[in-house]
Amino acid sequence: MWKLLWKILKTGTLTESPVRTQEETGRGPFRHSASIRHVDAGSCNGCELELWALENPVTSLSSRGFSFVASPRHADILLVTGPVSCHMKEALETTHQAMPAPKRVLAVGDCAISGGVFRGSYATHDGLSSILPPDVSVPGCPPPPEAIAEGVLRAFGSPPPPS
Amino acid sequence: MEADSSPFFSPETGFDRLHGGIPHTVLVTESPDRYLAQARLLSNDGARLLTLWSDSLPAIRAAILLREGLVLLSLSLPKDAASFPSLSSVFPTAVRFERTIHDLFGLIPDGLTDLRPWIDHGLWSHPPLSPSPFPPKRLAQEEDYPFVRVRGEGVHEIPVGPVHAGIIEPGHFRFSVVGEKVLRLETRMGYTHKGIARLFRGRSLPEAARLASRISGDSAVASSLAFSKAIEEALDIEISEGVRFVRALLLERERVANHLADLGALGNDAGLAVALSLYHPLREAMHRINLSLFGHRLLFDSVVPGGVSTGLSEAMIETLLRENERLQAEVTLLERIYADHGGLQDRFQNTGILSPETAGRLGIGGVAGRASGQGWDLRIDHREDPVHRFAPALALDHVGDVASRVRIRFFEIFESLRLTHALLTSFPGPDICATIPDPPAPREGTGLVEGFRGEVLGWVRILPGKILGEAHIADGSSLLWHALEASVPGNLVADFPLINKSFNPSYSASDL
Ligand code: SF4
């Protein structure tokens, strides 16, 4: 137990300040909190590894006011990875329907944007655009955590979709 | 014609191929009886079934691993074949592979009683990979997937997934429980099926290599290495010593990074939330070094057919040696913290036991197998250069609970760090990539690699013009669902995430 406490004390704060502050992106600082529901729509799990990295103390997305939640009923942002496999389409749409409005859809990774390396398969929809057009897209295979964090900020700041 | 049903290979007669240091042989037959007899003989010799698939020739192929080497058993079928013999009576894990073949090709596994769809979720009008324009008649499908029901007083079912509570891949778990206790777990996968087999067909080599790197993001190095080795065997390409060193190094880096993440997640799932904050920064630091030295945080596309995408310079070796030293010190401390933490050990011990007997019967290898007394490790069993020069040690445990799988991971991290150090300090210099020749006729090849989960198999058929005819890549994930189903009953529902994490199968690699 002492070793653990000693290690915690010695480690200190690892969190880095964001590479680009919100001011630089042209918006005021984010002073609220928002909840994210992640759905893996058939990814290779590379994007998930970078989502995990968002939660590590170095990127620490939660210290910027964002948290991943289990229930879509609590979520403001639907974060989607993977090319939208045909077998995940229904679960993805159901999750989106279960979220309260206003809500945003964030496509993370080349797959979610356009199918990536899996484009053209009989088993996928080549990304979100024909299923749930994303409000914000973060390209990359997988995108680095900092880019995803910025995408999350943009998703929250983007104008609501016309209803 | 009277079909010859005698097996035609035994390990004593010898393996005829040795590419990349792992002996193997390819057995082709047209006789279903011989196919079965051969599989039975190998199984009696203690062989394990790694994967089983069909290509569009059509031919059924079983990758069977013996202590001495790999046997690729191939049954050629006539073009209008409607069925093939099931190996389920020989290898219990053949069932889902054969159900997958049934779903994708419409071929019926003779002798298999469980013909429920596996990869097919009822969206296809005909089997998507069926070569014939008039696909064989499909067996009737039920609307809802018929899970096996457990009956009795107080038994109820908990359906979980495909969308789970955390950041995790999609799949469905059906628990039959009494109170808090799990009586039975049945998995239902296929949600991440991306049609990889079809996607490989007709791709140029570089494009196919990119796809191979993305079969399972956490095993990018192992998958691309298995794929590249298969190409290199097919085309008979010699790999330089320098390239072999860099590849071995990348493979160990992937192992360490994944084991660190798993250990952190296991601590977190067992209630020690600070574990994530202790382990994940170490992994993050590795990712950053990967990016600056090898061009990708997760090492995607770092191994390519014929070579590696980045060589090693003096300066890089220095950076990696410094990192090695740091990791050694940090993980030593973290291991002691885990070992001393009574609450944590209490959650780990006796949870999710996979008995050595069951692990042997299912043919489980890799981390999960070694935690349950199955001493298989390609790096140790075969004299593969350059790793064998440094005498890798086998991690082995016999309890088979979560605590065993944690111990195995720690052991392997230290061993990988030692190997990495040895590889770096004896790096022989220039790593020259080989050029890829254009085959005049179709060629086939196989590659086998010890990835962080276990064996990863790559198989290819390459066509003139350096176009991929067909490919199959499999890690042990499909087998791990069987291991998970065997070890969860008797545990509390609440322990399931912990047990699942301790096996850590890749949904993407098993759905393909
Ligand atoms: S974008 Fe890349 S890392 Fe993400 S799921 Fe697709 S292939 Fe994997």
Side-chain angles (χ1 to χ4, degrees):
Chain A
M1 202 53 172
W2 291 113
K3 280 195 209 81
L4 177 58
L5 292 176
W6 181 77
K7 172 71 186 160
I8 292 171
L9 278 175
K10 206 187 80 165
T11 304
T13 306
L14 295 174
T15 309
E16 293 171 350
S17 56
V19 185
R20 290 172 58 192
T21 61
Q22 287 116 37
E23 283 82 352
E24 276 174 69
T25 62
R27 278 179 292 276
F30 183 77
R31 292 222 181 81
H32 311 274
S33 75
S35 304
I36 307 167
R37 173 64 244 197
H38 162 240
V39 172
D40 173 338
S43 94
C44 79
N45 84 29
C47 281
E48 279 58 49
L49 294 177
E50 295 298 37
L51 293 181
W52 272 89
L54 286 176
E55 300 265 86
N56 73 27
V58 184
T59 318
S60 192
L61 191 63
S62 42
S63 69
R64 299 189 214 171
F66 294 92
S67 56
F68 284 91
V69 291
S71 170
R73 305 259 184 232
H74 304 158
D76 308 298
I77 299 171
L78 180 66
L79 190 163
V80 184
T81 57
V84 189
S85 62
C86 299
H87 295 164
M88 274 308 287
K89 174 173 171 276
E90 191 188 336
L92 178 67
E93 287 172 336
T94 318
T95 307
H96 186 251
Q97 279 157 16
M99 286 169 59
K103 50 191 161 186
R104 300 281 189 277
V105 178
L106 175 62
V108 168
D110 292 349
C111 284
I113 297 171
S114 64
V117 286
F118 309 112
R119 193 175 171 80
S121 168
Y122 65 86
T124 73
H125 290 281
D126 294 343
L128 272 173
S129 50
S130 64
I131 311 291
L132 290 173
D135 299 295
V136 172
S137 298
V138 185
C141 181
E146 199 46 56
I148 306 177
E150 210 187 296
V152 169
L153 277 170
R154 270 194 290 144
F156 206 77
S158 61
S163 48
Chain B
M1 193 184 77
E2 180 74 352
D4 181 3
S5 64
S6 60
F8 48 114
F9 170 84
S10 79
E12 293 86 52
T13 51
F15 294 84
D16 52 355
R17 303 189 187 192
L18 186 96
H19 203 94
I22 296 175
H24 60 283
T25 195
V26 181
L27 307 177
V28 183
T29 177
E30 285 173 7
S31 150
D33 291 342
R34 242 185 150 182
Y35 168 77
L36 264 173
Q38 184 67 58
R40 193 159 288 129
L41 177 91
L42 293 173
S43 159
N44 292 343
D45 273 353
R48 296 163 43 210
L49 178 71
L50 295 184
T51 173
L52 192 148
W53 75 102
S54 168
D55 69 21
S56 54
L57 281 180
I60 308 291
R61 296 167 191 273
I64 299 171
L65 189 64
L66 282 155
R67 286 282 167 199
E68 296 85 348
L70 176 78
V71 177
L72 207 63
L73 182 59
S74 182
L75 172 68
S76 305
L77 297 174
K79 281 257 174 289
D80 56 350
S83 66
F84 63 99
S86 167
L87 289 187
S88 56
S89 62
V90 184
F91 297 110
T93 51
V95 176
R96 283 172 185 167
F97 293 126
E98 290 172 349
R99 284 165 64 191
T100 302
I101 295 176
H102 176 229
D103 288 348
L104 296 179
F105 291 85
L107 296 166
I108 294 169
D110 275 335
L112 185 65
T113 41
D114 183 1
L115 275 178
R116 292 175 295 166
W118 177 247
I119 288 291
D120 181 357
H121 285 205
L123 297 178
W124 302 327
S125 57
H126 63 93
L129 297 183
S130 169
S132 53
F134 303 103
K137 226 173 84 97
R138 306 235 31 194
L139 301 172
Q141 273 203 27
E142 289 180 44
E143 259 297 297
D144 276 331
Y145 185 76
F147 286 95
V148 175
R149 291 268 138 82
V150 178
R151 300 192 192 282
E153 206 182 323
V155 179
H156 65 280
E157 281 189 1
I158 309 179
V160 177
V163 180
H164 300 289
I167 300 171
I168 176 171
E169 295 176 76
H172 185 95
F173 300 106
R174 186 63 61 101
F175 299 93
S176 300
V177 300
V178 166
E180 273 295 293
K181 207 176 215 158
V182 180
L183 294 179
R184 183 188 158 84
L185 162 67
E186 190 175 343
T187 58
R188 167 81 167 125
M189 295 295 143
Y191 292 93
T192 71
H193 176 67
K194 294 182 272 292
I196 304 264
R198 169 72 73 78
L199 284 170
F200 265 124
R201 289 190 203 162
R203 285 212 174 192
S204 70
L205 205 46
E207 279 303 306
R210 269 176 59 80
L211 182 57
S213 231
R214 288 157 180 79
I215 299 293
S216 178
D218 52 13
S219 295
V221 175
S223 313
S224 2
L225 188 51
F227 175 79
S228 301
K229 280 177 147 192
I231 296 276
E232 288 150 14
E233 194 209 9
L235 302 180
D236 214 1
I237 302 171
E238 257 323 304
I239 294 305
S240 74
E241 198 187 13
V243 166
R244 274 185 270 133
F245 265 75
V246 179
R247 287 176 167 187
L249 177 85
L250 293 170
L251 194 60
E252 295 312 314
R253 285 188 75 72
E254 185 171 82
R255 191 182 323 278
V256 172
N258 280 314
H259 281 357
L260 283 173
D262 285 350
L263 286 170
L266 280 164
N268 184 52
D269 279 347
L272 187 70
V274 74
L276 276 187
S277 312
L278 295 176
Y279 286 82
H280 282 234
L282 297 180
R283 182 187 172 120
E284 177 66 22
M286 288 190 81
H287 284 170
R288 289 179 179 193
I289 290 183
N290 285 345
L291 178 66
S292 71
L293 301 190
F294 301 105
H296 195 282
R297 282 169 55 89
L298 305 176
L299 298 173
F300 282 19
D301 309 317
S302 58
V303 176
V304 292
V308 284
S309 58
T310 321
L312 267 190
S313 68
E314 281 298 322
M316 288 163 79
I317 295 183
E318 205 140 294
T319 311
L320 292 171
L321 281 172
R322 265 201 309 276
E323 179 205 37
N324 194 271
E325 202 175 311
R326 174 167 173 244
L327 279 173
Q328 185 81 41
E330 295 267 6
V331 182
T332 305
L333 177 65
L334 293 181
E335 186 193 23
R336 256 183 273 144
I337 290 176
Y338 266 28
D340 292 353
H341 199 292
L344 200 60
Q345 290 303 325
D346 193 44
R347 287 289 306 277
F348 286 169
Q349 283 168 11
N350 294 319
T351 306
I353 296 179
L354 176 70
S355 71
E357 189 266 320
T358 310
R361 187 170 52 81
L362 295 173
I364 306 295
V367 168
R370 293 192 281 273
S372 296
Q374 309 300 308
W376 299 72
D377 187 332
L378 294 171
R379 297 172 301 162
I380 292 148
D381 299 341
H382 302 288
R383 301 178 55 77
E384 199 173 355
D385 196 57
V387 173
H388 82 93
R389 299 188 202 179
F390 311 114
L394 178 70
L396 193 63
D397 206 293
H398 295 274
V399 186
D401 55 1
V402 174
S404 294
R405 293 187 279 278
V406 166
R407 280 196 295 275
I408 295 282
R409 284 187 172 91
F410 274 118
F411 186 99
E412 292 194 1
I413 290 181
F414 290 123
E415 192 55 15
S416 287
L417 291 175
R418 187 185 70 77
L419 290 174
T420 306
H421 188 271
L423 287 164
L424 287 168
T425 47
S426 49
F427 182 60
D431 22 64
I432 300 152
C433 292
T435 44
I436 313 269
D438 194 350
R443 299 266 193 85
E444 293 179 4
T446 314
L448 195 58
V449 172
E450 187 73 34
F452 90 98
R453 277 192 190 91
E455 297 91 356
V456 180
L457 178 113
W459 174 88
V460 297
R461 182 186 303 117
I462 182 156
L463 307 176
K466 299 192 222 178
I467 299 292
L468 216 68
E470 230 151 323
H472 180 71
I473 297 181
D475 76 353
S477 295
S478 307
L479 305 181
L480 288 177
W481 298 122
H482 294 272
L484 186 68
E485 287 170 351
S487 51
V488 164
N491 290 268
L492 303 182
V493 181
D495 275 332
F496 174 72
L498 184 64
I499 302 171
N500 190 14
K501 192 75 218 176
S502 74
F503 286 108
N504 190 15
S506 162
Y507 300 59
S508 178
S510 57
D511 291 347
L512 290 177

